[in-house]
């Protein structure tokens, strides 16, 4: 099979689309394919509640600390293509950006509009220019599912019931992880890569809810509180802050795992905990679970009270007050927070209210998670994200084995890895 003069990009999520944008802008013809009929479905989901949190404020050195275990790599990637560069790029699409809570940066245009303009720029390239040999600069083909690497260097696809082969000198794989498979990113590519001898770390849930064994009473009260708040409002609130999968009741509490404290909202659900607060320590929780099968969080039910203030308040004698009355009067501990206290401290020890043990039994399934841990091992890639065993083939975005918490770091990572690979392809073709 003759090699295509176009760069083949497999996967039309933000990482693949950004490669396509940069290459097309440089006059390099691109064939973008995806198993879905339209692009960017997970990107659309990411921006669907609470706006598109597209990156995070901070210097590359500061932000790289969020890319667990890959800080040095991401410092370099973020120096090459930083949050400021990303903001300028959104501006090119006509979207301003603004800084929200805790340094999260949001696009001012709705995500559908961002994607529409992005797509328009790609398609418009065909009207203003054609690549060398008269090939259209940009072509998209949906409904093509990558199934494997052919023996002669070709790429194998399924289109309906038919097998299709494509050849290309340069190919970029941007197939995403395995969360929310309804968006197209189903992680089935793992088998194809492993069959070609490429090491892939198993896809696992990241930025996901965690499970705890609540008593039937607490589960019932959580359900009641959720219903009282109104299922829609509770979901919207949880979603706006964190895209939480399950509805629940938001509590003003803090958690610690391995000495790391949560930053963000914690939502109690029937199965355990959700919310951006949980995601912010999710990596540490998973490390514990993977190491020993269990993980005990320290729950602080009164994060706004210092240990000293707690001591002072508890120095008031309880007198004839019931425990619940005393907890309410001395500490303002009521409702679900009080029930959670009783759940975690059956002996009713209020001095422990800032440090109660909660056993986490597992992570929610990958299908529900916001992102995936695992993917193509970084040892399989060179510094330009090219597969060492398949020169000319690049792996970018979430399908490579790196992870970060929510807050804009995921999309920034996808763009920065796509930037690095597309730079290399431009170098190779110049
Ligand atoms: C609910 C939710 C909220 C999120 N919120 C945020 C946020 O606020 N900020 C943030 O930074 N990130 C957020 N993310 C994460 C972010 O959306 C992802 O990290 C990002 O979309 C990954 O981009 P990608 O291009 O690597 O992969 P994807 O976006 O997953 O795209 C992969 C593409 O590859 C295609 N594909 C997969 N397998 C095949 C195959 N075999 N053949 C052909 N095509 C295939 C898929 O159809 C898909 O189009 C959120 C994610 C979710 C689910």
């Amino acid at each position: 099979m003759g090699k295509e003069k176009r760069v083949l990009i497999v996967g039309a999520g933000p990482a693949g689309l950004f490669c396509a944008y940069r290459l097309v802008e440089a006059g390099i013809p691109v064939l973008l394919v995806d198993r879905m009929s339209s692009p960017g479905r997970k990107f659309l989901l990411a921006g669907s509640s609470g706006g598109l949190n597209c990156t995070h404020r901070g210097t590359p050195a500061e932000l790289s600390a969020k890319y667990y275990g890959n800080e040095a790599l991401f410092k370099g990637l973020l120096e090459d293509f930083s949050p400021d560069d990303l903001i300028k790029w959104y501006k090119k699409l006509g979207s301003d950006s603004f800084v929200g809570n805790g340094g999260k940066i949001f696009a001012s245009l709705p995500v559908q509009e961002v994607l529409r303009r992005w797509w328009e720029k790609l398609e418009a390239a065909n009207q203003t220019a054609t690549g060398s040999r008269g090939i259209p600069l940009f072509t998209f083909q949906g409904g093509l599912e990558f199934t494997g690497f052919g023996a002669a260097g070709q790429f194998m696809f399924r289109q309906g019931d038919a097998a299709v082969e494509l050849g290309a000198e340069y190919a970029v794989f941007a197939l995403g992880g395995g969360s929310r498979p309804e968006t197209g990113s189903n992680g089935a590519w793992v088998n194809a890569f492993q069959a070609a001898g490429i090491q892939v770390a198993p896809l696992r849930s990241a930025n996901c809810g965690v499970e705890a064994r609540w008593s039937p009473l607490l589960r019932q009260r959580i359900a009641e509180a959720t219903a009282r708040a109104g299922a829609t409002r509770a979901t919207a609130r949880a979603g706006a802050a964190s895209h939480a999968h399950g509805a629940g009741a938001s509590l003003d509490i803090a958690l610690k795992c391995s000495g790391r404290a949560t930053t963000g909202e914690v939502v109690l659900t029937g199965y355990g905990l959700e919310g951006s607060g949980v995601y912010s320590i999710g990596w540490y929780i998973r490390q514990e679970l993977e190491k020993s099968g269990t993980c005990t969080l320290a729950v602080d039910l009164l994060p706004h009270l210092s240990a000293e203030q707690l001591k002072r308040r508890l120095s008031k004698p309880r007198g004839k007050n019931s425990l619940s009355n005393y907890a309410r009067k001395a500490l303002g501990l009521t409702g679900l927070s009080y029930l959670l206290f009783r759940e975690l401290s059956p002996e009713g020890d209020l001095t422990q209210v800032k440090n109660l043990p909660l056993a986490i039994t597992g992570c929610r399934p990958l299908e529900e998670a916001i992102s995936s841990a695992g993917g193509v091992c970084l040892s399989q890639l060179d510094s330009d994200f090219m597969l060492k065993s398949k020169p000319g083939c690049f792996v970018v975005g979430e399908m490579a084995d790196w992870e970060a918490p929510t807050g804009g770091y995921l999309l920034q990572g996808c763009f920065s890895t796509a930037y690095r690979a597309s730079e290399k392809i431009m170098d190779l073709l110049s």
Side-chain angles (χ1 to χ4, degrees), residues 31 35 44 54-55 115 137 156 182 186 194 208 238 255 257 266 268 272 301 306 338 345 349 352 380 394 408 419 423:
L31 170 61
R35 62 186 291 270
L44 289 172
C54 53
T55 183
L115 185 61
L137 273 179
M156 319 292 288
E182 70 276 14
N186 62 2
Q194 284 176 334
C208 60
L255 312 169
C257 178
V266 177
L268 252 63
L301 291 177
S306 69
Y338 180 74
S345 175
D349 182 357
Q352 294 304 306
Q380 307 294 291
F394 295 78
Y419 180 89
E423 276 292 287

Side-chain angles (χ1 to χ4, degrees), residues 68-403:
Y68 312 108
N70 295 307
E71 292 82 357
L73 171 67
F74 273 84
K75 183 167 174 287
L77 287 166
L78 296 171
E79 277 164 359
D80 288 0
F81 190 76
S82 67
D84 283 344
D85 294 323
L86 190 47
I87 288 166
K88 279 184 206 140
W89 182 77
Y90 276 104
K91 186 88 187 156
K92 269 169 85 173
L93 293 186
S95 180
D96 288 328
S97 310
F98 63 92
V99 183
N101 274 351
K104 290 179 184 170
I105 295 178
F106 292 84
S108 52
L109 284 179
V111 67
Q112 302 89 321
E113 188 56 22
V114 169
L115 185 61
R116 194 184 65 74
R117 293 180 184 203
W118 193 345
W119 196 250
E120 238 174 47
K121 292 250 184 213
L122 287 168
E123 290 193 320
N126 287 339
Q127 282 141 35
T128 51
T130 47
S132 56
R133 304 168 188 224
I135 308 169
L137 273 179
F138 176 68
T139 311
F140 174 69
Q141 219 177 321
L144 269 184
E145 177 160 19
F146 174 73
T147 52
F149 296 91
Q154 76 277 40
F155 307 103
M156 319 292 288
F157 292 84
R158 189 171 30 235
Q159 187 170 36
D161 292 335
V164 174
E165 291 184 11
L166 293 175
E169 196 174 356
Y170 298 111
V172 179
F173 291 91
L175 303 174
S179 74
R180 309 290 176 105
E182 70 276 14
T183 61
S185 322
N186 62 2
W189 57 263
V190 169
N191 294 336
F193 273 63
Q194 284 176 334
I198 298 161
Q199 279 172 24
V200 182
L203 299 181
R204 281 108 71 217
S205 309
N207 293 302
C208 60
V210 293
E211 296 177 347
R213 291 204 183 97
W214 302 138
S215 65
L217 175 67
L218 182 58
R219 248 203 327 272
Q220 185 193 327
R221 292 293 155 77
I222 292 169
E224 286 164 7
T226 307
R228 254 198 320 278
T232 337
R233 228 182 70 218
T235 309
R237 197 173 56 223
S242 59
H243 303 286
H245 197 264
S250 179
L251 276 195
D252 189 11
I253 63 176
L255 312 169
K256 258 190 193 167
C257 178
S258 310
R260 308 287 170 145
T262 43
T263 48
E265 187 182 34
V266 177
V267 177
L268 252 63
T269 66
Y271 51 74
L273 303 170
E274 275 285 352
S276 55
V278 180
Y279 310 156
S280 69
I281 55 167
W283 189 80
Y284 301 96
I285 296 176
R286 212 187 52 247
Q287 299 300 307
E288 290 283 316
L289 286 170
E290 287 178 359
K291 205 165 55 195
S292 56
T294 61
C295 169
T296 303
L297 300 184
V299 179
D300 182 351
L301 291 177
L302 296 169
H304 304 299
L305 211 65
S306 69
E308 193 46 46
Q309 286 168 319
L310 175 69
K311 208 167 146 196
R312 223 175 308 126
R313 294 206 191 175
L314 290 180
S315 65
K316 290 182 193 154
R318 178 171 154 186
K320 290 191 174 157
N321 281 304
S322 65
L323 183 64
S324 61
N325 261 343
Y326 181 61
R328 177 173 56 80
K329 287 180 189 166
L331 304 176
L333 204 59
T334 58
L336 260 189
S337 298
Y338 180 74
L339 256 189
L340 184 56
F341 162 66
R342 290 314 315 262
E343 180 99 356
L344 303 182
S345 175
E347 65 286 2
D349 182 357
L350 283 170
T351 62
Q352 294 304 306
V353 80
K354 288 183 71 60
N355 187 24
L356 292 160
L358 168 61
I360 296 302
T361 54
C363 291
R364 293 298 286 170
L366 180 57
E367 298 76 47
E368 285 180 18
I370 282 186
S371 60
S372 305
V376 174
C377 297
L378 295 177
S379 61
Q380 307 294 291
L381 305 172
D382 71 10
S383 58
D384 295 307
F385 287 79
M386 183 158 74
L387 280 166
K388 289 175 185 166
S389 61
K390 294 199 176 293
C393 292
F394 295 78
V395 167
V396 296
E398 204 182 305
M399 76 177 283
D401 184 14
W402 57 270
E403 64 173 293

